[in-house]
């Protein structure tokens, strides 16, 4: 009597979310070098490495909205790894690409949020306090968790709010602020995407924030950090 054949190994349902894409281009030298600078051992615990990369994207890539490159090239993870500057759209893509370089599934998530880290000048350009926002979703220890490595620690300090932390187990999503408590309010969830949906992102930005755009980028000639310092000195 012949022995039954062993059952085939189950396919990883998220394997496609570990591959490089047009925007999450982790096969490039720029992203690989970014990861290598942060992660000592790529075979180490995935959650530990995902947390390390979160803080690297949050704090070593400056959050800057003025003069940000929104071209196809400018929104690639490799471009942000080189520029070390950008806002939520850039930083979420870099983080999604960096964790994929370690075999960790990731997706990009977009929504409309009521934001509290903004200067009067930025609010005027945005047209109010509701922002089109990007963050990242990563699959760790059998569950999807949201990660928002966006506002760097120094900028948060200048605006009088604590930085958003991440432990790889709970969502890093609702940003606290100041002594008043509270949280960033999510007005609308646009869903999760396997790669940066360029046409959707740009259509959303043009529809929601037309005064914020100039050519293939955002309005130049400003600095959120400088505006915070000026307000403090005043």
């Amino acid at each position: 009597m012949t022995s039954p054949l062993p059952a085939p190994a189950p396919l990883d349902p998220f394997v496609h979310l570990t591959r490089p894409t047009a925007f999450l281009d982790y096969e490039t030298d720029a992203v690989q070098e970014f990861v290598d600078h942060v992660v000592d051992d790529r075979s180490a615990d995935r959650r530990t490495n995902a947390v390390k990369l979160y803080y690297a994207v949050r704090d070593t890539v400056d959050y800057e909205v003025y003069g940000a490159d929104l071209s196809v090239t400018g929104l690639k993870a490799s471009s942000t790894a080189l520029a070390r500057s950008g806002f939520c759209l850039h930083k979420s893509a870099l983080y999604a690409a960096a964790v994929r370089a370690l075999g960790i599934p990731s997706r990009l998530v977009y929504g409309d949020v009521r934001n509290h880290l903004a200067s009067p000048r930025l609010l005027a350009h945005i047209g109010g306090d509701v922002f089109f926002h990007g963050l990242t979703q990563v699959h760790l220890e059998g569950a999807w968790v949201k990660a928002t490595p966006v506002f760097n620690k120094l900028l948060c300090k200048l605006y009088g709010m604590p930085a958003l932390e991440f432990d790889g187990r709970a969502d890093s999503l609702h940003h606290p602020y100041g002594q008043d408590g509270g949280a960033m309010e999510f007005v609308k969830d646009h869903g999760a995407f396997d790669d940066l949906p360029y046409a959707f992102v740009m259509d959303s930005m043009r529809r929601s924030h037309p005064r914020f755009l100039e050519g293939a980028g955002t309005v130049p000639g400003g600095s959120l950090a400088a505006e915070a310092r000026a307000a403090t000195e005043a």
Side-chain angles (χ1 to χ4, degrees):
M1 182 177 177
T2 59
S3 301
L5 294 173
L11 295 175
D12 182 349
F14 304 125
V15 67
H16 64 292
L17 298 175
T18 64
R19 295 172 181 147
T21 66
F23 290 91
L24 309 184
D25 54 346
Y26 69 75
E27 78 283 11
T28 57
D29 289 343
V31 178
Q32 290 293 322
E33 289 171 8
F34 181 89
V35 172
D36 285 339
H37 186 73
V38 177
V39 174
D40 298 324
D41 180 3
R42 292 192 178 210
S43 64
D45 176 71
R46 285 186 170 189
R47 184 177 68 86
T48 298
N49 282 339
V51 170
K52 287 181 178 180
L53 287 168
Y54 173 91
Y55 287 107
V57 173
R58 191 193 76 176
D59 293 328
T60 71
V61 178
D62 291 336
Y63 180 83
E64 187 54 77
V65 296
Y66 297 116
D69 189 347
L70 297 180
S71 68
V72 170
T73 298
L75 284 171
K76 289 177 181 286
S78 56
S79 296
T80 304
L82 290 171
R84 293 300 179 104
S85 179
F87 62 102
C88 61
L89 302 180
H90 306 81
K91 297 183 73 167
S92 59
L94 175 56
Y95 183 60
V99 296
R100 283 194 184 191
L102 302 182
I104 300 170
S106 68
R107 295 186 291 216
L108 294 168
V109 177
Y110 299 97
D112 297 333
V113 301
R114 199 173 304 281
N115 192 15
H116 45 261
L117 195 158
S119 66
R121 178 174 183 251
L122 178 58
L123 292 174
H125 280 300
I126 291 296
D129 63 352
V130 176
F131 291 62
F132 181 74
H133 183 55
L135 58 144
T136 312
Q137 201 175 38
V138 293
H139 196 261
L140 295 168
E141 299 179 343
W144 285 102
V145 288
K146 293 184 174 71
T148 312
V150 174
F151 302 126
N152 51 289
K153 196 170 186 177
L154 176 59
L155 190 64
C156 288
K157 183 177 180 180
L158 290 172
Y159 279 85
M161 55 190 284
L164 188 55
E165 309 295 340
F166 181 57
D167 65 3
R169 292 194 172 106
D171 287 341
S172 166
L173 181 63
H174 296 291
H175 208 294
Y177 64 93
Q179 287 88 17
D180 298 329
M184 177 182 285
E185 177 189 356
F186 276 71
V187 178
K188 185 174 182 179
D189 184 351
H190 294 298
F193 299 80
D194 297 356
D195 192 14
L196 191 148
Y198 187 74
F200 168 73
V201 166
M202 294 308 297
D203 286 348
S204 298
M205 292 291 291
R206 291 189 188 99
R207 183 175 61 254
S208 301
H209 315 303
R211 286 178 289 177
F212 186 46
L213 303 183
E214 186 172 304
T218 60
V219 292
S223 163
L224 270 183
E227 288 169 9
R229 291 189 181 98
T232 300
E233 291 170 0

